Structure formats: C-alpha cells, structure tokens
Amino acid sequence: MDRETRVFAESHFRGLRGRLSSRTSPTPDHVDFIEKPDSFSYADFFKGYLLPNVPCVFSSAFTEGWGSRRHWVTPHGKPDFDYLLQNYGDVVVPVANCGVQEYNSNPKEHMPLRDYISYWKEFIQQDYSSPRGCLYLKDWHLCRDSSAEGVFTLPVYFSSDWLNEYWDYLDVDDYRFIYMGPTTTWSPFHADIFHSFSWSVNICGRKKWLFFPPGQEEALRDCHGVLPYDVTAPTLLDSRQRCSPPLEVTQEAGEMVFVPSGWHHQVHNLEDTISINHNWVNGCNLASMWHFLQQELQAVQQEVSEWKDTMPDWHHHCQVIMKSCSGINFEEFYHFLKVIAERRLLLLAKETGPGEGEGSVGAGLGPQQAAFDIGRIAEVLASVVVHTDFQRLDTSMFSPQPEDLLQQLEEVVATTTSL
C-alpha cells in the first residue's frame, strides 16, 4: 500500500462515521471484468472494489502461471483424474450431498479422494446421475493437509489476509479450500463465514454465480425469518419480485471472482469444475466481522433466553455456544485483534527504524499498510472494550489488557499520521 491509497482509505472510513461500508455503497448494475494484469494495480483494486465492497471478475491471464492450471487439467480442459489420484488419492476429503437439504446446507461425509474420483467417473458414465446422489467435494483444506507449493500463487490483491495470517500463526486451521464436483453440483444460498471477503478461481470448468447485495436477502426471508435454501426455487417467485434481480456472473476456466463482504450468493457448476477458494478478513471488513459477531451472540442469547435467570454463568455459556456454532466468540476475537495488532506494531517498528526501508518486509506489507491496519484495529477495539458482553468476560489473564492495547494503538495512530 502506498501513502496516497492509505490516505484515501482513512478518509473513506472517517466519512462512514461508524456505519458499515457494505451498507452504504451504491449497488452496481453489473460486475466489472478486469482484463489485463499489467494495467491493474493493488491500489486500483483497493479503491475500486475492496473499499466500496463490490464484486469483480479477473480474467484468466491473472492465473495463467499457476501449477494447478497446468497439472490438474487435461489438454481438453477437463479434470485430470490420473494426476489427482497419483498425487492426492489417499487424502481424506469432505464431501457434501447436494441432493439432501440439512437446514440450509448439505450433510457431509469424509472419504479418500480416490473414492470420490471413482464416484465422479461413474456419475459421468451414468449421464450425470447416481443412486448415491449428487456429491460435491467441498472445503478440502489442501494447504493444511499437504504441501500446496506450486499449486497457486496468492494474488497480490488479496495479500492482506488477516484471517489466514492468524490461523497460520496458531498453526491449527485455515480458510483456504479446494472445491471439486461434476456438472449440477452447487452451493446453497449463503453469505461467507464471519462476513469475510472471498476469492474463487476456476482451475477448470464453469460456474454460475447469483449475487445479492447486503440487505437484499431480507426480502427473501420466510414468515419465520429464515433465509431460503435455494433462491431459484419456484416457490420463491413472489419473494424475488420484492427485491432487485441478482447480479449474475458466468465464471470461465482460469477466471477469478472477488466476493465482497456480506453479499449473499448461490453458485452452480455448469461443467465438471475444480476451484480454489479463500475466505479472508482485513481492515476493510473488520467492522463487518465485529457487527456479525454481535448479531451471532444476540441470536444465541435470544435462543436460550428462557434459562437466563436459572442457569449459572448464563453469559459464559452463551459465549461457549456461540463459539461452537460460529467458530469464534468475543474472547477469541480479542486475541485475533491482538495477534494482528502486535504483528503490525512490530512491522512498523522495523520499517521506521534506522536503516529500514519500504521493501524490507515480506508478503507485500509495508509501513503504510501497517499504519492503516493499526488504525482499523484501534477503531474496532474501541467498540469491543465498551461492549457490555465483552466487559462480562474474565480478562484478568489477557496480556496485554484490552484497554492497554487500545491505548498503545491510539498512540501509534497519532504518531503515524505524517508517515
């Protein structure tokens, strides 16, 4: 990030005055297609799509050097089953049954990749049908399970990725996934976890995306407030007429889709398809993540409200339930902020110390990005520490104490204004 982009971004957030950027940007009537890597900079993406929180599609030129596009695909553009079996056949992968609805998702089982590919081949031979149902390999953590070296190169546009930076630091999880499936496999209507951003690249095959801007999903809720499982269902015709038509994108092989924070979407594979997908959070959607977590806690509290007066440590149990359902609670969110903040403070100290320069830090993070990140964390942490439910937590073992970390961040923000 250069200084001009940082100043632009900080002005953007000052103008929001605490509102979520996902709720203030005008809804586009189309999705932009980015053709040439050489003429599209990080600053272009940051200002044109990340800050306003709108989708775009990058051409296959952005991924033409990826190893997966060379090795995982036959000369005819189909999944190379032989290569995948040879290199990953014994890896156990999660597989969803697209033909079975379980709440607003699909039930999953686990099997070796070789068993899934055997099913896939039979599915094709049987004219894309099977008594086992329509099975879709989803959420395979390739980077966590084995080496992903040479498979892909993280695009610079998505390099400020706090979510995977945090989980890599803990060395327990990640939000990097492989999806594989035949024609007719699909993902039901949803918004991404924590209201994160995501990006998705088709290694081979084609997908149809249906995008609904934040707020549009409200018109699709049923009388119980439940969001639909399938927005293309005929029974939803009246509901769809109460909201704007979705933005529709057909993603070709090699192309890369940027999915903004809080945008609900539904995705259908139009051909036998393999894709690489990442969820990610950074300073641009951190406030949206915090807003989402507050909503999640409120939903849990409402669900178990009848036991509030009789259950010992009711508030603590709400946090436990929230983490089991959402993967994170208020305590872990603070530790997430702390880890990223401390890493940015260290980076900034190195970059602004004697003899250090803009290019001395890896992963594309320089002092302007670090200063921007610290400012965003400080703004959200200021909201966290005054939240009633956060104040109910036992923070006696937190190091540093939340108020002390906030003070440190605010002092750094004041000193980096002229950086």
Side-chain angles (χ1 to χ4, degrees), residues 90 119 125 256 262 273 298 332 334 399 401:
D90 293 329
Y119 156 83
Q125 292 168 357
M256 180 164 60
T273 300
Q298 288 174 3
E332 180 142 32
Y334 170 71
S399 179
Q401 286 291 292

Side-chain angles (χ1 to χ4, degrees), residues 163 175 177 190-197 279-281 292 326-327:
L163 202 56
Y175 286 91
F177 307 105
H190 69 285
D192 287 326
I193 187 169
F194 308 144
H195 281 195
S196 58
F197 299 125
N279 293 100
W280 49 298
V281 169
F292 166 78
S326 305

Side-chain angles (χ1 to χ4, degrees), residues 24-141:
T24 58
S25 301
T27 300
D29 58 6
H30 68 284
V31 176
D32 288 346
F33 186 77
I34 315 300
E35 186 76 42
K36 299 178 180 178
D38 293 344
S39 58
F40 190 71
S41 67
Y42 177 78
D44 292 333
F45 174 69
F46 195 95
K47 296 177 185 177
Y49 303 94
L50 201 59
L51 277 182
N53 199 51
V54 294
C56 63
V57 179
F58 298 77
S59 76
S60 60
F62 288 82
T63 64
E64 62 182 359
W66 287 18
S68 53
R69 289 193 58 198
R70 295 193 305 273
H71 303 308
W72 292 12
V73 185
T74 70
H76 300 291
K78 301 296 184 182
D80 191 331
F81 293 137
D82 291 338
Y83 181 90
L84 294 168
L85 284 169
Q86 180 179 347
N87 288 272
Y88 309 107
D90 293 329
V91 178
V92 176
V93 295
V95 175
N97 190 334
C98 295
V100 178
Q101 180 178 352
E102 190 173 83
Y103 299 101
N104 269 18
S105 188
N106 308 117
K108 281 185 179 178
E109 59 180 310
H110 288 78
M111 65 180 70
L113 180 62
R114 67 177 65 258
D115 290 353
Y116 180 71
I117 288 179
S118 176
Y119 156 83
W120 194 346
K121 289 178 177 179
E122 292 177 3
F123 192 77
I124 294 172
Q125 292 168 357
Q126 296 169 5
D127 197 24
Y128 290 89
S129 65
S130 169
R132 296 175 62 187
C134 184
L135 304 185
Y136 191 8
L137 189 163
K138 300 176 70 174
D139 301 327
W140 171 23
H141 293 260

Side-chain angles (χ1 to χ4, degrees), residues 104-402:
N104 269 18
S105 188
N106 308 117
K108 281 185 179 178
E109 59 180 310
H110 288 78
M111 65 180 70
L113 180 62
R114 67 177 65 258
D115 290 353
Y116 180 71
I117 288 179
S118 176
Y119 156 83
W120 194 346
K121 289 178 177 179
E122 292 177 3
F123 192 77
I124 294 172
Q125 292 168 357
Q126 296 169 5
D127 197 24
Y128 290 89
S129 65
S130 169
R132 296 175 62 187
C134 184
L135 304 185
Y136 191 8
L137 189 163
K138 300 176 70 174
D139 301 327
W140 171 23
H141 293 260
L142 174 65
C143 295
R144 188 180 69 192
D145 294 339
S146 59
S147 173
E149 184 176 356
V151 171
F152 70 96
T153 302
L154 181 66
V156 65
Y157 313 103
F158 315 135
S159 57
S160 179
D161 175 355
W162 301 6
L163 202 56
N164 287 298
E165 179 182 354
Y166 173 70
W167 288 110
D168 288 348
Y169 173 82
L170 297 183
D171 195 25
V172 295
D173 204 354
D174 69 359
Y175 286 91
R176 308 178 182 99
F177 307 105
I178 307 296
Y179 282 44
M180 299 184 183
T183 306
T184 71
T185 49
W186 64 294
S187 293
F189 187 65
H190 69 285
D192 287 326
I193 187 169
F194 308 144
H195 281 195
S196 58
F197 299 125
S198 66
W199 60 263
S200 178
V201 173
N202 280 354
I203 304 306
C204 63
R206 302 168 70 234
K207 291 179 185 287
K208 181 174 75 172
W209 295 73
L210 301 175
F211 283 111
F212 291 79
Q216 289 288 328
E217 75 280 0
E218 296 302 325
L220 300 175
R221 293 186 185 274
D222 65 16
C223 60
H224 304 290
V226 177
L227 288 171
Y229 169 72
D230 178 6
V231 292
T232 66
T235 53
L236 280 176
L237 181 61
D238 290 342
S239 297
R240 289 200 303 270
Q241 290 175 344
R242 295 197 298 269
C243 67
S244 300
L247 294 177
E248 186 169 324
V249 170
T250 299
Q251 178 190 14
E252 304 291 343
E255 293 180 351
M256 180 164 60
V257 171
F258 165 62
V259 182
S261 176
W263 283 58
H264 281 72
H265 50 282
Q266 186 165 306
V267 192
H268 296 259
N269 288 329
L270 305 177
E271 297 176 357
D272 295 338
T273 300
I274 301 175
S275 63
I276 296 178
N277 314 271
H278 283 202
N279 293 100
W280 49 298
V281 169
N282 62 26
C284 294
N285 65 338
L286 183 65
S288 294
M289 180 181 181
W290 170 230
H291 179 72
F292 166 78
L293 294 177
Q294 293 173 79
Q295 289 181 316
E296 288 294 284
L297 181 60
Q298 288 174 3
V300 170
Q301 291 173 335
Q302 183 175 351
E303 190 69 23
V304 297
S305 59
E306 61 184 290
W307 294 287
K308 183 175 182 178
D309 296 329
T310 57
M311 180 186 291
D313 298 324
W314 180 82
H315 290 285
H316 170 74
H317 286 294
C318 287
Q319 293 282 341
V320 172
I321 295 169
M322 176 186 175
K323 185 168 183 177
S324 69
C325 295
S326 305
I328 193 171
N329 58 13
F330 281 17
E331 178 177 348
E332 180 142 32
F333 184 62
Y334 170 71
H335 288 295
F336 167 69
L337 296 179
K338 184 198 78 165
V339 166
I340 302 301
E342 290 179 340
R343 291 169 67 88
R344 295 301 180 271
L345 291 168
L346 180 61
L347 187 154
L348 198 58
K350 289 181 177 179
E351 288 283 355
T352 56
E356 299 289 348
E358 173 80 29
S360 63
V361 174
L365 292 175
Q368 300 297 338
Q369 182 77 59
F372 170 73
D373 290 353
I374 289 169
R376 298 303 306 135
I377 296 170
E379 180 177 310
V380 171
L381 183 56
S383 174
V384 172
V385 298
V386 298
H387 193 283
T388 303
D389 286 290
F390 183 79
Q391 292 177 341
R392 290 191 174 100
L393 299 181
D394 179 6
T395 62
S396 59
M397 301 300 291
F398 288 12
S399 179
Q401 286 291 292

